[in-house]
Amino acid sequence: MSAISRLLCLLLLLESSFSFAQRSLTGRVQSTNGQPLAFANVLLINAKDSSMAKGAVANEAGLFAFEGLKIGQYLVTASMVGYRNVYSAPFVLKDAEGTHQLATLTANALEKQLNEVTVIAQKPIFEQQLDKLVINPSAMMTAAGGSVLDVLERSPGVRVDRQNSNIALGGKSGVMVMLNGKLSRLPLETLVQMLSGMNADNVETIELITNPSARYDAEGNAGLINIVLKRKQGEGTNGSFSLMAGYGKFEKTNGSFSINHNQGRVNLFANTSYNYDRGWFDFLPIRNQPVQGAIWRNEQYSDRYPITKNADFRVGADILLTKRTVLSAQVQGLLNKRDVISYNSSNTRIAGQSQPFTTSELTWIEDAPWRNWGASVGLSHTTTRQHTLTIDADYQSFENNGLNTFDINQFMTTDPSVLPIKSMKTTKDTGIRFGVLRADYARPLGKKWKMESGFKINVSHIDNALGVERNIDGVLTMDPNLTSKALFRETIGAVYANFTGKLGPTTDFQGGLRAENTHTNIQSVDGKPLLDRRYLNLFPSASLKHQVGKLHTLNLAYSRRLTRPVFTELIPNFFITDPNTYYVGNIALKPAYNSSLRAGYGFKGAYFFWVGYSHERDIINKHQPITYPGRPELIHITQNFDRSDVLSVEVTFPLTLTSWWKVQNNLAGYYRSSQSQFDIGPFSQRIYYGNANSVHTFNLGNHWTAELNVQYLSLIPAGVMNLRSRTNVIAGIQKVLPINKGTFRLNISDIFWTNTLRWYTSFPIQQFDFQAKMKFEPRVVKLTYSRNFGNQKVKTTRQRRGADEERGRVQF
């Protein structure tokens, strides 16, 4: 019997062992038109003295349940904003055991609503919860008109490296991104490009999950970033829209629109957005390396002008088939086009000499369109005993037809050993298909415990064709050594069990186990095997929360996770930045593993102190430099590093300086010890680093508010390279118009032009060193107008999951 089969049998045994008879009461609450009142508050009242016996919250279908009841006389009341309280007739429970069904409660809507008073409820920018930090972009004025990537870049503990298309969390790389709880398996380059075009106004919350439970995919050494898109449901029609115009070195604009219509048993929704961003950045790498008995110094300058256009849509429906069954379906599409023109110059000289012996100039034109469409369907059923079964099936398709043209405008050398450089063109045709089937089952275990279990199967098919042509005597000729086509197939099967409950009156526990079996196969188009890898892993997780009085909490959490290589890092890939600098794929990459332990203290639910330790092996580090003895080429390749140990300290605390000036602060410090045998030589590093984020909010009166966001990132390790420290200061001001007429926001980013990426590495024994600097557009100003319309008495509907979870291993 396989390991997964054994675990499935164990789950069934656990479920059956917790099944026992008890006295319970179930019911349903609805509006006068038969629509369920999701998340209504429901109370069980003792009929004799009107004291509360139990409380509950109705689920999405309006269903509620009370368990473990004593014999007696009761009545039930339900309440919800916008509706009159509704009461049941008194009734008597006298049977020894069994489930009792209450007649449906029907609540009447309030006939008169206040329409002359505008109530503004301001969410906090950051909310620290037991297992995650929740970010509310709508409360972050400096996020208005920006992208999701901009919000992540300004979030505590998150580091965005736009040059290498990398996102780190808590001082560690290997973070995975989810959309609406669904893990994205898009390559990170693709995902970063997609997030840079996704409008932040479409996002409800962003969750930074450092210790995910077993019900989440085990992917992501550093944890998970869950982007929750706005998704509302209420009677009638409601929606929102936003428009932005901005300017830095060049123009920018975007807009978004979303609408929901709910009538009876059917809720329809749609949203769309468009983003146009014409930008600029420059890149200045310098290296010294031994070649032919001398130290060659190569200096490059790249002046780049990207234009990004992004359009996306989602359309779907939720249908209440019965009182306890919800059917959900949606389709979505995306078109992301990034055109970049780069003017590159390069010179090489002997170290210590002033005159170069080789110079070159080239124009690099990059055309990288991505197209995506997908469809999903889900079914959720809740029994009278509050057992819930959810099934989701999803399909995603991506197409990329990339074209890179490298035109050598000028080449000169005085060294006859240096061969002339020819113009070249590369093409990349990539087709990606994801299919996901998952099922989740949840049920209460007695009065205080809940069990969740399920399985998931993900199948990925990728066809990647790379073509490289060189200019030979004025004719572009295919280079057979670099031209290739690879077929990628991967299947991941997973099962899990997770338990949540109380160990005592003030102690909460969550623990579980997840098993994942992976089969990865890569072969050439002629059937030649390039990689065939199978591995089965167990991923335990647990967290404990203990309440000490009303003000203090103690937390402890452990998890084991992995990071699989993304597709574009494994399959053949190739592009250049100058005649002797290449970026290539690495089919030998292995998955990386991480075990982490965190302990925390909370005070008043607002002040938090965390300490942590994590051990990583086979860490995946992107775009590491390697050289070959005596040769001038520098190759950037993603590689595994042997091991790393990280100690961390994190502090979150608010300050109220005056009645109109409030501050939210997040500080983090890390110590990392790393060791690896690297191509250039052995690598060992012990380093301290950290980051700080301080958000100041000013209430100026008359619905005017202002915000100042100050970020500091110290030196940060990135494989054998280190990113030097940098700061970023962002400011914004907001005006909320009366009578729901919308909101204006004006913000400016990188006010002092200090958000510059600088990194370096050095191997003195091998006489090799590398440093680079990248500067972005400074002082980008954006003006945004947003407005809600229709019925704003809304409630969240069922969150869909599935193949969006797989979009993280495709990179734009």
Side-chain angles (χ1 to χ4, degrees):
M1 181 182 293
S2 68
I4 291 182
S5 299
R6 294 190 185 98
L7 187 56
L8 283 172
C9 292
L10 177 60
L11 297 181
L12 294 174
L13 289 172
L14 286 171
E15 179 192 345
S16 61
S17 65
F18 280 102
S19 298
F20 53 87
Q22 58 183 341
R23 189 181 301 104
S24 61
L25 175 71
T26 63
R28 182 175 186 268
V29 57
Q30 65 180 20
S31 63
T32 53
N33 63 1
Q35 180 185 345
L37 291 187
F39 312 116
N41 292 312
V42 186
L43 301 178
L44 181 67
I45 305 297
N46 288 304
K48 291 184 178 180
D49 56 9
S50 298
S51 63
M52 186 183 77
K54 284 182 177 292
V57 176
N59 67 6
E60 299 159 348
L63 303 175
F64 60 87
F66 300 104
E67 297 189 354
L69 302 181
K70 299 179 181 179
I71 295 174
Q73 187 175 11
Y74 301 94
L75 61 88
V76 172
T77 178
S79 62
M80 189 171 181
V81 175
Y83 292 87
R84 299 184 184 279
N85 292 354
V86 59
Y87 297 86
S88 73
F91 58 90
V92 177
L93 291 181
K94 54 186 178 180
D95 295 340
E97 297 178 346
T99 300
H100 301 261
Q101 180 68 42
L102 186 70
T104 299
L105 300 175
T106 301
N108 295 312
L110 292 174
E111 296 176 359
K112 295 183 179 180
Q113 299 292 323
L114 293 177
N115 55 13
E116 297 179 356
V117 178
T118 301
V119 179
I120 302 171
Q122 179 67 37
K123 292 182 179 179
I125 297 176
F126 306 119
E127 296 179 75
Q128 181 70 63
Q129 299 181 8
L130 172 62
D131 61 342
K132 60 192 173 187
L133 177 68
V134 179
I135 301 164
N136 296 299
S138 61
M140 187 183 292
M141 274 170 278
T142 53
S147 69
V148 174
L149 196 64
D150 294 332
V151 178
L152 287 176
E153 203 167 29
R154 300 165 192 173
S155 301
V158 179
R159 176 173 58 85
V160 176
D161 181 353
R162 294 177 184 255
Q163 163 64 12
N164 295 309
S165 297
N166 191 32
I167 301 175
L169 177 63
K172 297 181 292 184
S173 296
V175 66
M176 295 299 291
V177 177
M178 300 190 298
L179 293 176
N180 287 341
K182 299 183 283 186
L183 188 66
S184 174
R185 296 197 182 279
L186 291 169
L188 201 54
E189 286 91 349
T190 305
L191 187 64
V192 167
Q193 185 174 336
M194 183 186 73
L195 295 179
S196 68
M198 183 182 292
N199 195 331
D201 292 332
N202 282 338
V203 176
E204 186 73 31
T205 60
I206 296 177
E207 301 171 345
L208 309 181
I209 309 172
T210 51
N211 284 87
S213 68
R215 66 187 180 91
Y216 291 105
D217 289 67
E219 188 91 7
N221 273 350
L224 301 171
I225 297 176
N226 185 27
I227 300 169
V228 181
L229 301 178
K230 288 182 178 178
R231 180 70 181 84
K232 296 179 178 180
Q233 178 185 358
E235 289 189 32
T237 302
N238 62 81
S240 64
F241 68 89
S242 69
L243 298 170
M244 182 278 289
Y247 192 86
K249 199 177 181 71
F250 299 102
E251 69 279 1
K252 301 136 196 333
T253 185
N254 67 43
S256 67
F257 177 82
S258 65
I259 189 168
N260 298 267
H261 179 72
N262 198 334
Q263 190 66 42
R265 293 176 174 267
V266 178
N267 179 71
L268 305 175
F269 67 92
N271 60 63
T272 184
S273 68
Y274 175 78
N275 179 74
Y276 173 88
D277 187 347
R278 184 183 177 195
W280 167 87
F281 64 96
D282 65 6
F283 180 50
L284 299 90
I286 300 173
R287 70 177 184 267
N288 292 291
Q289 66 187 93
V291 180
Q292 300 176 1
I295 303 300
W296 285 20
R297 180 177 178 84
N298 177 265
E299 299 179 357
Q300 301 176 42
Y301 177 74
S302 180
D303 199 22
R304 303 186 181 183
Y305 299 87
I307 297 178
T308 302
K309 303 174 184 177
N310 188 95
D312 62 74
F313 75 90
R314 290 174 183 256
V315 178
D318 298 318
I319 304 172
L320 192 66
L321 299 179
T322 70
K323 294 180 180 181
R324 305 181 186 279
T325 306
V326 179
L327 174 67
S328 300
Q330 79 166 19
V331 294
Q332 45 89 187
L334 167 72
L335 176 60
N336 186 292
K337 194 174 192 301
R338 188 170 188 261
D339 300 320
V340 185
I341 183 167
S342 304
Y343 302 100
N344 297 10
S345 62
S346 172
N347 70 79
T348 305
R349 66 177 186 267
I350 302 298
Q353 296 183 3
S354 59
Q355 294 297 319
F357 60 82
T358 299
T359 63
S360 66
E361 293 183 5
L362 69 85
T363 302
W364 173 16
I365 300 176
E366 177 186 1
D367 181 11
W370 278 89
R371 295 174 297 276
N372 159 241
W373 73 271
S376 63
V377 61
L379 189 69
S380 178
H381 178 72
T382 303
T383 70
T384 57
R385 298 174 65 87
Q386 295 299 294
H387 295 207
T388 301
L389 176 65
T390 304
I391 301 174
D392 290 280
D394 299 78
Y395 177 80
Q396 294 285 328
S397 172
F398 294 85
E399 297 288 344
N400 171 234
N401 306 110
L403 173 65
N404 289 271
T405 303
F406 304 90
D407 289 325
I408 307 298
N409 304 319
Q410 179 181 341
F411 178 81
M412 181 279 295
T413 183
T414 59
D415 187 338
S417 67
V418 178
L419 298 177
I421 303 300
K422 302 294 185 179
S423 298
M424 62 188 303
K425 181 176 76 173
T426 68
T427 58
K428 185 166 74 74
D429 296 321
T430 304
I432 304 175
R433 309 287 184 269
F434 294 126
V436 178
L437 176 66
R438 64 180 297 168
D440 298 276
Y441 171 72
R443 59 157 297 168
L445 301 176
K447 303 177 184 179
K448 301 179 180 180
W449 285 82
K450 177 183 179 181
M451 176 184 131
E452 299 170 287
S453 61
F455 74 86
K456 177 181 177 181
I457 299 173
N458 171 64
V459 179
S460 306
H461 284 193
I462 300 179
D463 298 335
N464 184 79
L466 173 67
V468 179
E469 299 175 276
R470 296 185 184 274
N471 188 329
I472 300 178
D473 298 327
V475 178
L476 285 173
T477 304
M478 192 69 68
D479 186 337
N481 296 320
L482 295 175
T483 299
S484 63
K485 184 174 183 179
L487 308 178
F488 181 102
R489 304 291 183 262
E490 185 174 73
T491 302
I492 302 173
V495 294
Y496 76 92
N498 195 64
F499 298 87
T500 306
K502 283 188 168 294
L503 297 179
T506 59
T507 304
D508 298 324
F509 173 80
Q510 176 276 127
L513 180 66
R514 187 179 186 93
E516 292 192 358
N517 184 71
T518 306
H519 179 207
T520 304
N521 179 269
I522 304 177
Q523 62 183 19
S524 62
V525 69
D526 58 3
K528 179 182 177 181
L530 303 176
L531 174 71
D532 191 77
R533 180 184 294 153
R534 301 171 186 265
Y535 48 98
L536 172 66
N537 298 111
L538 298 178
F539 301 97
S541 66
S543 63
L544 193 69
K545 178 181 178 181
H546 180 67
Q547 188 76 33
V548 182
K550 295 182 178 181
L551 302 180
H552 309 274
T553 57
L554 300 175
N555 302 284
L556 186 65
Y558 168 81
S559 66
R560 181 175 187 261
R561 304 187 61 76
L562 91 161
T563 297
R564 298 181 180 90
V566 299
F567 308 131
T568 51
E569 294 168 346
L570 288 170
I571 59 182
N573 207 354
F574 177 83
F575 69 92
I576 70 173
T577 56
D578 93 315
N580 286 317
T581 305
Y582 307 89
Y583 289 76
V584 298
N586 181 8
I587 202 168
L589 275 179
K590 298 180 291 184
Y593 294 89
N594 174 76
S595 296
S596 64
L597 180 67
R598 280 166 54 92
Y601 164 73
F603 178 65
K604 291 185 176 180
Y607 301 83
F608 293 90
F609 176 80
W610 293 91
V611 294
Y613 166 76
S614 67
H615 173 75
E616 302 173 88
R617 63 180 175 89
D618 296 326
I619 308 102
I620 298 174
N621 286 294
K622 296 174 66 66
H623 299 167
Q624 301 301 297
I626 65 172
T627 62
Y628 296 103
R631 296 181 58 177
E633 292 86 5
L634 178 68
I635 298 175
H636 292 270
I637 187 171
T638 301
Q639 289 193 317
N640 291 108
F641 279 35
D642 294 342
R643 63 182 298 270
S644 179
D645 295 278
V646 179
L647 297 174
S648 63
V649 177
E650 301 172 39
V651 181
T652 299
F653 60 97
L655 293 174
T656 301
L657 301 181
T658 69
S659 60
W660 51 269
W661 183 1
K662 297 182 179 180
V663 186
Q664 177 69 39
N665 301 287
N666 298 83
L667 308 175
Y670 308 96
Y671 169 76
R672 178 188 288 267
S673 174
S674 303
Q675 293 180 348
S676 187
Q677 182 61 41
F678 194 57
D679 291 75
I680 296 177
F683 176 77
S684 179
Q685 183 185 61
R686 290 174 175 83
I687 188 171
Y688 293 92
Y689 58 102
N691 58 71
N693 181 266
S694 184
V695 181
H696 300 247
T697 305
F698 308 91
N699 187 346
L700 307 179
N702 196 26
H703 302 319
W704 283 92
T705 51
E707 179 182 299
L708 182 68
N709 190 328
V710 181
Q711 296 173 298
Y712 171 77
L713 296 173
S714 74
L715 182 146
I716 299 172
V720 299
M721 295 184 287
N722 291 319
L723 276 168
R724 297 185 187 272
S725 62
R726 68 185 192 271
T727 58
N728 190 10
V729 179
I730 310 158
I733 190 167
Q734 169 182 285
K735 169 64 174 179
V736 178
L737 302 180
I739 321 178
N740 195 31
K741 289 186 177 180
T743 302
F744 279 102
R745 296 184 179 97
L746 178 70
N747 63 67
I748 178 171
S749 63
D750 199 7
I751 296 174
F752 301 106
W753 204 4
T754 52
N755 191 28
T756 298
L757 294 179
R758 300 172 298 159
W759 56 99
Y760 70 94
T761 188
S762 177
F763 288 81
I765 296 177
Q766 291 76 19
Q767 297 180 298
F768 172 84
D769 65 76
F770 175 87
Q771 59 181 307
K773 180 169 66 173
M774 178 176 286
K775 295 188 295 184
F776 300 94
E777 270 185 295
R779 307 177 188 95
V780 176
V781 179
K782 296 179 179 179
L783 176 64
T784 303
Y785 173 74
S786 60
R787 184 172 180 175
N788 297 324
F789 61 87
N791 176 20
Q792 295 304 308
K793 299 180 182 64
V794 294
K795 48 189 178 291
T796 304
T797 188
R798 189 177 94 86
Q799 178 174 296
R800 277 164 294 278
R801 313 151 307 156
D804 274 352
E805 301 183 356
E806 322 312 315
R807 297 175 63 165
R809 296 181 70 200
V810 180
Q811 297 171 6
F812 286 55

